[in-house]
Amino acid sequence: MVIPEKVPTIAEPVALDRRSDPDVRKKMSGPAMRTFFNLADRWKLSVGERRALLGWPSESTYHNYRNGNVGTLSYDALTRISLLIGIFKALHILYPDFADRWIRLPNSNPLFGGRPPIEWMTADGGMDGLYRVRRLLDARRGGWN
């Protein structure tokens, strides 16, 4: 009798060698996208900002996601959503009074050059921008958890 290997849930850590596994990505895709849309609603992101943060999926693909037709997300899309969840969490730890507004506020940190972080994350930074914002906030709160 062959026992199928367990596919982790979204809450369980996924080993590095399993992260590209299509079965793992498929299981994580629906919950990840629902979480992304909840976060995007809290941040009051435009459709353009949402698509930029997701790595510019086509309009039809974006609207399929919005309607719950997610399928299996790419490793890149899951990584982007993971970074955004980390940013969201860090903001709510650091700035509970204005966490959901922080991304729209002008920021004097040299990383942003006086602009709101959302502009940098969507226009200039790309995936690297998401990593850099996540690292900045995690450094401010003292950890990567």
Side-chain angles (χ1 to χ4, degrees):
M1 175 178 183
V2 176
I3 299 173
E5 187 172 333
K6 181 181 177 208
V7 177
T9 65
I10 193 107
E12 296 174 2
V14 177
L16 284 174
D17 63 336
R18 302 260 350 258
R19 292 184 182 176
S20 62
D21 181 329
D23 291 333
V24 172
R25 289 188 297 111
K26 182 174 181 150
K27 183 163 183 98
M28 296 175 75
S29 292
M33 193 55 69
R34 285 189 300 276
T35 302
F36 170 77
F37 281 115
N38 287 332
L39 175 155
D41 289 344
R42 294 270 305 259
W43 286 352
K44 298 178 174 51
L45 299 178
S46 70
V47 171
E49 290 166 336
R50 292 169 191 228
R51 288 182 57 223
L53 291 173
L54 289 171
W56 290 109
S58 70
E59 286 187 38
S60 61
T61 298
Y62 169 81
H63 289 293
N64 280 334
Y65 294 162
R66 189 69 177 142
N67 293 327
N69 303 320
V70 177
T72 302
L73 293 175
S74 68
Y75 183 82
D76 178 83
L78 286 168
T79 300
R80 288 170 175 275
I81 293 170
S82 174
L83 291 166
L84 290 164
I85 292 168
I87 291 167
F88 181 86
K89 176 183 174 183
L91 288 172
H92 281 267
I93 291 169
L94 290 167
Y95 313 116
D97 294 337
F98 62 96
D100 291 334
R101 293 183 299 118
W102 182 87
I103 64 163
R104 297 236 181 256
L105 299 173
N107 196 305
S108 62
N109 186 289
L111 178 66
F112 307 115
R115 296 182 342 201
I118 189 64
E119 287 181 21
W120 198 80
M121 292 189 309
T122 57
D124 302 337
M127 177 75 87
D128 184 53
L130 296 175
Y131 273 111
R132 292 179 73 183
V133 171
R134 169 82 190 264
R135 284 192 297 264
L136 171 75
L137 293 171
D138 285 338
R140 285 183 180 169
R141 71 180 188 85
W144 178 277
N145 299 7

